Amino acid sequence: MRFVPSFRTALAPMLGVLLAVAMQPAKAEGTTVFADTSRIASIGGSITEIVYALGEEGRLVARDSTSNYPEAAAKLPDVGYMRGLSPEGVLSVNPSGILALHGSGPKEAVDVLKKSSVPFIEVPDHYNHEGILEKIRIVGKALGVDAKAQKLAAETDAKLTAAEKQTAAIKERKRVLFVLSTQGGKILAAGSDTAADGIIRLAGAVNAVEGFSGYKGMTDEAIVSAKPDVILTMKGGGPPISEEELFANPAVASTPAGTNRKMVSMWGGYLLGFGPRTAEAIHDLAVELYGNQVVD
């Protein structure tokens, strides 16, 4: 006979976490350095990459499901998707500190974690050159390895500068439409203030979408008016978008990208992570967009 948990049984774990939080002593707000760095839970793929790039992976006790690079990170306990966390899941690994990328959620779960006795440091996520360097410095400071972080930031800064210079001489900039999904035949595209908009700009191109921020559905008229030269999609972030499906859309088919069947697809964590590998992602995207016009 299958056991069906009662409402009280199902609610018990969450009540336990809330009770534990309520009984914990208050902690100082605005923590920037962990007092104990021996058991860190890393939330956010770019955060985990930075920890590994700093050579401090031995401090990690868990990671979220977006932290799949480097491959060694997959061996760590997975506390769930960064935007769908549960407090009991994160606290179950008994972390000495939680290092979380801005945007982790849901808000209710993050609020509980911030009120727990475990120090919680939130790392800003700005989709530009300086934003990556800021992440590195904040993560390094949190772990008490400022000197390592300054060195990595300097190396990353040089790589990003070189990657951006590769398209500096190109006069005709490609118009790129980033499509997040096509579920139900609806094109969900990236506007401003998104990682997609940031990487498109860094690769020397123009976001074909104007007038809104975040990710929104586009009408057929808006797609046609955007006149994208290239459709950009990501792999590994949900149902894959096939060329057949995309170019079967009449509005997309009527654009320059549709006429030339120009679609570029790259791994999401690599393309949109804004971490230590972003210089390489900029280069790879630029080559896809401009070919031999890219100057190495």
Side-chain angles (χ1 to χ4, degrees), residues 75-254:
K75 297 177 182 178
L76 291 166
D78 184 347
V79 297
Y81 177 49
M82 65 169 286
R83 301 190 196 281
L85 300 172
S86 68
E88 61 268 32
V90 177
L91 296 176
S92 70
V93 298
N94 190 30
S96 63
I98 301 167
L99 196 55
L101 188 64
H102 177 76
S104 298
K107 182 180 182 301
E108 295 77 12
V110 170
D111 286 345
V112 170
L113 291 172
K114 286 181 176 179
K115 291 175 182 176
S116 76
S117 64
V118 181
F120 186 103
I121 295 178
E122 187 173 62
V123 182
D125 195 16
H126 301 301
Y127 311 122
N128 53 41
H129 182 137
E130 181 54 40
I132 298 169
L133 308 184
E134 180 187 30
K135 274 188 195 177
I136 293 171
R137 296 186 189 109
I138 290 174
V139 172
K141 184 176 183 62
L143 298 178
V145 291
D146 297 77
K148 280 188 175 183
Q150 290 298 339
K151 183 175 184 292
L152 178 60
E155 292 171 351
T156 304
D157 184 24
K159 289 179 181 178
L160 288 168
T161 299
E164 291 170 63
K165 285 181 178 178
Q166 291 175 328
T167 57
I170 295 174
K171 293 182 172 55
E172 293 187 16
R173 302 286 168 167
K174 298 288 186 181
R175 295 178 61 80
V176 179
L177 176 66
F178 180 86
V179 176
L180 183 64
S181 75
T182 56
Q183 290 185 333
K186 190 77 170 178
I187 299 293
L188 186 63
S192 61
D193 301 316
T194 60
D197 179 77
I199 199 69
I200 288 169
R201 293 175 185 276
L202 288 173
V206 176
N207 189 346
V209 170
E210 298 175 347
F212 68 81
S213 63
Y215 294 89
K216 291 186 179 180
M218 294 187 71
T219 64
D220 289 348
E221 293 79 6
I223 294 170
V224 173
S225 297
K227 298 178 182 177
D229 299 300
V230 179
I231 305 294
L232 178 62
T233 67
M234 70 174 184
K235 295 182 280 189
I241 300 173
S242 68
E243 286 191 36
E244 291 72 19
E245 175 189 14
L246 188 64
F247 295 126
N249 182 300
V252 175
S254 68

Side-chain angles (χ1 to χ4, degrees), residues 34-41 51 56-62 76 93-98 119 142-144:
F34 293 124
D36 181 356
T37 60
S38 63
R39 296 179 61 82
I40 303 301
V51 174
E56 299 297 322
E57 64 271 18
R59 302 178 187 272
L60 296 179
V61 70
L76 291 166
V93 298
N94 190 30
S96 63
I98 301 167
L143 298 178

